[in-house]
């Protein structure tokens, strides 16, 4: 195939709406082409693209929480593009290609679902299947010579609350855990008292340290309650945004803005917004 015929085939593929994954891979290859690609795309690296990868994952989660399924379709495409982007950069460096990524995750799914693709029984609760999954993961980690700690492999770039829960889950597997949620609540009281003591002492570094300790134990409480702390905090953020918006709307109807009212007046409007929400939930 000469250069012109290759370019013609590429043009036909990138413009084919039914081209599927090959079309997307070709588009990314064309964007990264040193001589004819997009100047911005050409200079990107794993490190510069990684923040976008994280952002796109959060936008997928946001669309799901809002049940915005038309948006979810688009957001999943954006997230898929991130996988293609990293894979293309790796292929350019002769590390691996998109096909290797697909093969590896397919192999992993077969390996970690012996009750579907092997001889294990499917007569298990979802909880038991999760436990089996974790055992298989632990066995895989044990086969890696560089694995030295139970905590190895918990990504440092995870959101802090999510990483805290994953670290705690790892430690719990070897028995380093509180027996129940009540014990964690006792620890929260202890950590709160230590934070108050440091606040009174005025040492900023110690205040930050004790606040971090308190947040870590709060994550552990979420784990014992089988709550995703990130999801719980996102819900609290959404509730705050919703109720503060009601306060602003009420003030706007009076021709005022929040900075033109006292805290006590805004508190009263906040309480009214809470009551209105609860009444709406009951109806």
């Amino acid at each position: 195939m000469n250069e012109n015929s290759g370019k013609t085939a590429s043009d036909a593929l990138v413009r084919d709406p039914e081209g599927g994954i090959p079309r997307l891979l070709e588009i990314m290859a064309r964007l990264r082409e040193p001589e004819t690609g997009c100047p911005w795309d050409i200079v990107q690296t794993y490190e510069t693209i990684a923040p976008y990868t994280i952002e796109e994952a959060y936008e997928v989660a946001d669309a799901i929480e809002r049940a915005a399924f038309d948006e979810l379709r688009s957001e999943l495409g954006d997230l898929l593009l991130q996988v293609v982007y990293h894979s293309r950069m790796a292929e350019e460096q002769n590390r691996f290609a998109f096909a290797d990524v697909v093969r590896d995750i397919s192999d992993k799914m077969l390996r970690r679902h012996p009750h579907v693709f092997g001889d294990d029984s499917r007569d298990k609760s979802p909880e038991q299947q999760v436990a089996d999954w974790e055992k298989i993961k632990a066995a895989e980690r044990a086969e890696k010579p560089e694995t030295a700690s139970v905590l190895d492999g918990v990504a440092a770039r995870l959101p802090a609350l999510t990483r805290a829960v994953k670290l705690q889950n790892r430690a719990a597997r070897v028995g380093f855990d509180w027996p129940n949620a009540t014990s964690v609540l006792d620890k929260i009281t202890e950590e709160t008292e230590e934070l108050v003591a440091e606040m009174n002492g005025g040492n900023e570094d110690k205040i930050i340290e004790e606040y971090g300790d308190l947040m870590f134990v709060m994550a552990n409480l979420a784990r014992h309650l089988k709550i995703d702390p990130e999801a719980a905090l996102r819900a609290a953020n959404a509730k705050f945004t919703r109720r503060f918006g009601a306060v602003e709307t009420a003030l706007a109807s009076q021709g005022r803005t929040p900075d033109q009212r006292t805290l006590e007046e805004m508190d009263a409007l906040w309480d009214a917004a809470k009551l209105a929400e609860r009444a709406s939930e009951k109806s």
Side-chain angles (χ1 to χ4, degrees):
M1 181 182 291
N2 62 41
E3 184 177 342
N4 288 335
S5 62
K7 181 70 179 298
T8 300
S10 173
D11 286 343
L13 179 57
V14 299
R15 289 174 171 77
D16 179 4
E18 304 302 323
I21 290 293
R23 180 193 188 196
L24 181 57
L25 294 174
E26 183 66 16
I27 288 170
M28 180 52 63
R30 291 277 294 271
L31 289 173
R32 292 277 297 179
E33 173 59 42
E35 299 298 327
T36 58
C38 169
W40 186 89
D41 286 288
I42 292 168
V43 300
Q44 299 310 306
T45 65
Y46 303 111
E47 291 77 14
T48 60
I49 292 298
Y52 297 103
T53 307
I54 296 169
E55 179 182 339
E56 296 299 350
Y58 276 116
E59 290 183 0
V60 167
D62 178 67
I64 291 170
E65 287 186 3
R66 293 184 289 107
F69 295 109
D70 288 343
E71 292 181 34
L72 177 60
R73 172 180 169 178
S74 175
E75 298 299 348
L76 286 171
D78 291 343
L79 185 57
L80 174 60
L81 179 65
Q82 299 301 304
V83 178
V84 169
Y85 212 132
H86 287 286
S87 299
R88 179 62 196 180
M89 290 187 288
E91 184 172 3
E92 292 166 358
Q93 298 167 7
N94 294 316
R95 297 176 183 272
F96 58 83
F98 182 79
D100 300 309
V101 174
V102 174
R103 184 186 63 247
D104 286 356
I105 188 59
S106 298
D107 289 346
K108 182 186 292 185
M109 289 300 98
L110 265 65
R111 189 168 62 247
R112 294 189 180 176
H113 293 83
H115 56 292
V116 176
F117 303 107
D119 298 327
D120 279 14
S121 171
R122 291 183 64 253
D123 188 19
K124 299 176 183 178
S125 68
E127 292 76 17
Q128 182 58 52
Q129 290 175 6
V130 169
D132 289 349
W133 173 284
E134 294 297 337
K135 288 179 183 176
I136 295 170
K137 284 176 61 177
E140 291 171 354
R141 286 193 299 271
E143 293 176 358
K144 297 179 180 179
E146 69 273 14
T147 300
S149 169
V150 170
L151 304 181
D152 283 353
V154 180
R157 293 291 297 273
L158 285 170
L161 279 174
T162 298
R163 186 164 194 260
V165 171
K166 287 184 175 292
L167 291 170
Q168 293 158 4
N169 279 332
R170 289 283 187 89
R173 288 181 207 156
V174 295
F176 193 71
D177 194 13
W178 283 289
N180 50 51
T182 301
S183 300
V184 184
L185 285 170
D186 292 339
K187 186 64 175 177
I188 288 173
T189 299
E190 176 187 328
E191 294 293 351
T192 301
E193 291 171 352
E194 291 178 5
L195 175 58
V196 170
E198 295 300 341
M199 289 170 62
N200 292 333
N203 185 318
E204 184 176 354
D205 289 340
K206 284 293 185 181
I207 292 171
I208 293 171
E209 179 182 343
E210 293 300 338
Y211 179 79
D213 289 347
L214 179 58
M215 289 288 289
F216 191 82
V217 181
M218 288 297 296
N220 217 330
L221 178 62
R223 186 175 66 86
H224 276 267
L225 296 174
K226 302 188 185 306
I227 292 171
D228 176 356
E230 290 280 350
L233 186 55
R234 285 197 298 272
N237 288 341
K239 180 167 63 177
F240 178 85
T241 301
R242 190 171 61 246
R243 290 180 179 175
F244 192 78
V247 170
E248 290 179 309
T249 299
L251 290 173
S253 69
Q254 303 169 10
R256 295 188 176 188
T257 58
D259 58 355
Q260 296 171 327
R261 299 298 294 265
T262 66
L263 176 60
E264 290 75 15
E265 290 172 318
M266 286 193 288
D267 269 342
L269 292 172
W270 177 274
D271 290 339
K274 279 173 57 176
L275 289 173
E277 261 193 21
R278 289 173 179 170
S280 175
E281 289 169 0
K282 291 179 181 178
S283 61

